[in-house]
Amino acid sequence: MHNTTDMLIELGAIILALGILGRLAGRVGFSPIPLYLLAGLAFGKGGLIPLQASEEFVATGAEIGVVLLLLLLGLEYSASELVTNLKTQYPSGAVDFVLNALPGAAAAILLGWGPVAAVALAGVTWISSSGVIAKVLGDLGRLGNRETPLILGVLVLEDLSMAVYLPILSALLAGVSLAGGTLTLLISLGTVGIVLYVALRHGRLISRAVSSDNPEMLLLVVLGLTLLVAGVAQQLQVSAAVGAFLVGIALSGEVAEGARNLLTPLRDLFAAVFFVFFGLSTIPADIPPVLVPALILAVVTTLTKIATGWYAARRAGIRPAGRWRAGGTLVARGEFSIVIAGLAVGVEPRIGPLATAYVLILVVLGPLTARWTEPIARKLTEAIRRPEPAPAAPAVELVKAVEPVESVEPVEPVEPVEPVEPVEIDVDADADPAPSRS
């Protein structure tokens, strides 16, 4: 009874603190994820007030939070949209993987963490945060921009690639042999293919079977089906998150809309619990030693994400302003990075602190790059293209040079002429005038 009382007190304090932090983040205008992580660090091992009685419940709630995150993400897209994105955006997805996964893998190898940790850290730096980016697009009023469908297309490709990446990572973390890992991958790909085929051909039948006019019944059926499929997927070493994502894809129409409205508050609650749990499992004293690598990795992958968005928008024929906006919007990392790091801490414990610091940096930097990348790029472009004013000509050049006059031979002086005396003419006024010649 005493433990139950302590658990209720601790859970009440956690949820109340999350509510206050969420409201604070809303007033400031950025994602509450970093505040949730900081709260977990404060109440975890080595924090200010370590929690004990509610730790097991929080761990279970964190697993449910991951499942609901992926379920709601799957509900955002239909199977036809996924197929269309795969056909049109796969070059951008390939560039996204190369530019953003390789820095994480290289960092793990340089830190001496081994190949399995390299695969895990590659996923941490690769996947953008769909939740943070969706909120940023709404806050900035860009949902109707031309580059927004392209941004969502890149995010869909990343989310869909998790159906392949997570089983591979799970097999590597479990130490499965090459044959076992190949079998796990084939099972995962087969499951994804079957779900997409059924969703495309018979999605209406599935939605009709799940549909209900009673919100309570709809909530129970969708939530129960999701947890069941996630558990079965976990048994098959596919990934509970991928199983939940596939359930979301299979549902469409009014069922998907109704389930989204009912489950969104529940998802937000358990997702917050998940971020807190990740912070609880990270010892704050372990963060300072990896802060510099996390900062370097954040700077590098910020630039590579901007390059990814710029390339994808350029392929779609979007103007330079939209290209820069697309790149800046894709910078934020969040839920998937934490999910991947949470899977890998058993093999390399230092991934947890590094991922926490990395996500804290980029989840704060992401909304800033979304807002300011395009204006900064425009200013720099104008500065480069603006012609420099011509330098003022020297004063000497303004005066026309006078050509030197050739030397002239001296002229002999002319002798002065003596003045001539005037001649007086005596005219007789009385004389007769000259005779006429008539």
Side-chain angles (χ1 to χ4, degrees):
M1 184 69 180
H2 180 70
N3 290 336
T4 304
T5 303
D6 292 343
M7 183 184 70
L8 291 176
I9 293 174
E10 289 183 358
L11 285 177
I14 291 173
I15 296 174
L16 179 60
L18 293 178
I20 296 173
L21 292 175
R23 292 186 64 180
L24 178 61
R27 288 181 180 273
V28 177
F30 68 97
S31 171
I33 292 177
L35 298 182
Y36 295 158
L37 290 173
L38 291 175
L41 290 173
F43 293 106
K45 298 177 181 178
L48 299 176
I49 308 175
L51 301 180
Q52 297 177 353
S54 60
E55 186 175 356
E56 184 176 352
F57 182 88
V58 172
T60 304
E63 294 182 5
I64 296 175
V66 174
V67 169
L68 291 179
L69 275 171
L70 273 295
L71 170 64
L72 268 293
L73 191 61
L75 290 173
E76 294 291 333
Y77 311 108
S78 65
S80 59
E81 289 174 338
L82 288 176
V83 173
T84 302
N85 278 309
L86 282 174
K87 291 180 179 179
T88 59
Q89 298 291 341
Y90 69 90
S92 301
V95 171
D96 182 24
F97 171 76
V98 172
L99 291 182
N100 298 286
L102 292 184
I109 293 174
L110 291 175
L111 292 171
W113 292 356
V116 177
V119 174
L121 196 56
V124 171
T125 59
W126 173 21
I127 306 298
S128 299
S129 171
S130 301
V132 174
I133 291 173
K135 187 177 186 305
V136 168
L137 289 173
D139 293 342
L140 296 178
R142 296 181 182 174
L143 294 176
N145 284 18
R146 190 184 172 193
E147 73 273 4
T148 298
L150 180 140
I151 295 171
L152 296 178
V154 173
L155 294 176
V156 169
L157 284 176
E158 290 181 351
D159 298 336
L160 190 59
S161 1
M162 289 295 95
V164 177
Y165 170 80
L166 288 178
I168 294 176
L169 178 63
S170 300
L172 292 174
L173 294 174
V176 178
S177 63
L178 179 61
T182 304
L183 179 62
T184 300
L185 179 59
L186 291 176
I187 292 174
S188 174
L189 293 176
T191 304
V192 172
I194 292 172
V195 170
L196 289 178
Y197 174 80
V198 172
L200 284 170
R201 297 290 183 180
H202 310 288
R204 293 183 179 179
L205 296 178
I206 298 174
S207 298
R208 190 180 304 170
V210 175
S211 179
S212 175
D213 295 332
N214 189 329
E216 180 183 354
M217 295 300 103
L218 179 61
L219 175 62
L220 292 175
V221 170
V222 173
L223 184 59
L225 177 64
T226 302
L227 294 176
L228 178 63
V229 172
V232 172
Q234 190 77 18
Q235 286 291 331
L236 295 175
Q237 294 185 349
V238 172
S239 171
V242 172
F245 182 66
L246 295 176
V247 172
I249 293 173
L251 301 178
S252 60
E254 295 181 358
V255 174
E257 184 66 25
R260 190 183 304 115
N261 294 333
L262 291 171
L263 290 170
T264 296
L266 199 62
R267 176 208 58 185
D268 294 340
L269 170 62
F270 282 101
V273 172
F274 165 72
F275 291 117
V276 169
F277 174 73
F278 188 83
L280 290 174
S281 60
T282 303
I283 301 175
D286 294 339
I287 292 181
V290 296
L291 190 57
V292 173
L295 184 60
I296 295 174
L297 204 55
V299 172
V300 172
T301 53
T302 293
L303 298 176
T304 54
K305 273 293 180 183
I306 292 175
T308 299
W310 194 93
Y311 170 79
R314 183 175 178 272
R315 282 191 70 251
I318 296 175
R319 293 183 178 181
R323 299 175 194 175
W324 291 115
R325 286 195 298 267
T329 305
L330 288 171
V331 167
R333 310 305 202 275
E335 58 274 8
F336 257 130
S337 299
I338 300 298
V339 169
I340 295 168
L343 294 174
V345 289
V347 173
E348 178 50 67
R350 289 173 290 183
I351 288 183
L354 177 63
T356 300
Y358 177 77
V359 170
L360 281 172
I361 294 170
L362 289 185
V363 83
V364 174
L365 186 63
L368 299 178
T369 57
R371 183 185 298 270
W372 296 108
T373 297
E374 186 268 329
I376 292 174
R378 185 177 67 249
K379 293 290 185 183
L380 292 176
T381 304
E382 291 175 355
I384 293 173
R385 292 180 178 178
R386 185 184 300 121
E388 296 182 359
V396 178
E397 296 182 0
L398 295 177
V399 181
K400 186 176 180 180
V402 180
E403 297 180 359
V405 181
E406 297 180 358
S407 59
V408 182
E409 295 181 0
V411 181
E412 296 180 0
V414 180
E415 295 181 358
V417 180
E418 295 181 359
V420 180
E421 296 180 359
V423 179
E424 296 182 0
I425 301 175
D426 209 359
V427 179
D428 188 358
D430 297 332
D432 295 332
S436 64
R437 295 183 181 180
S438 59

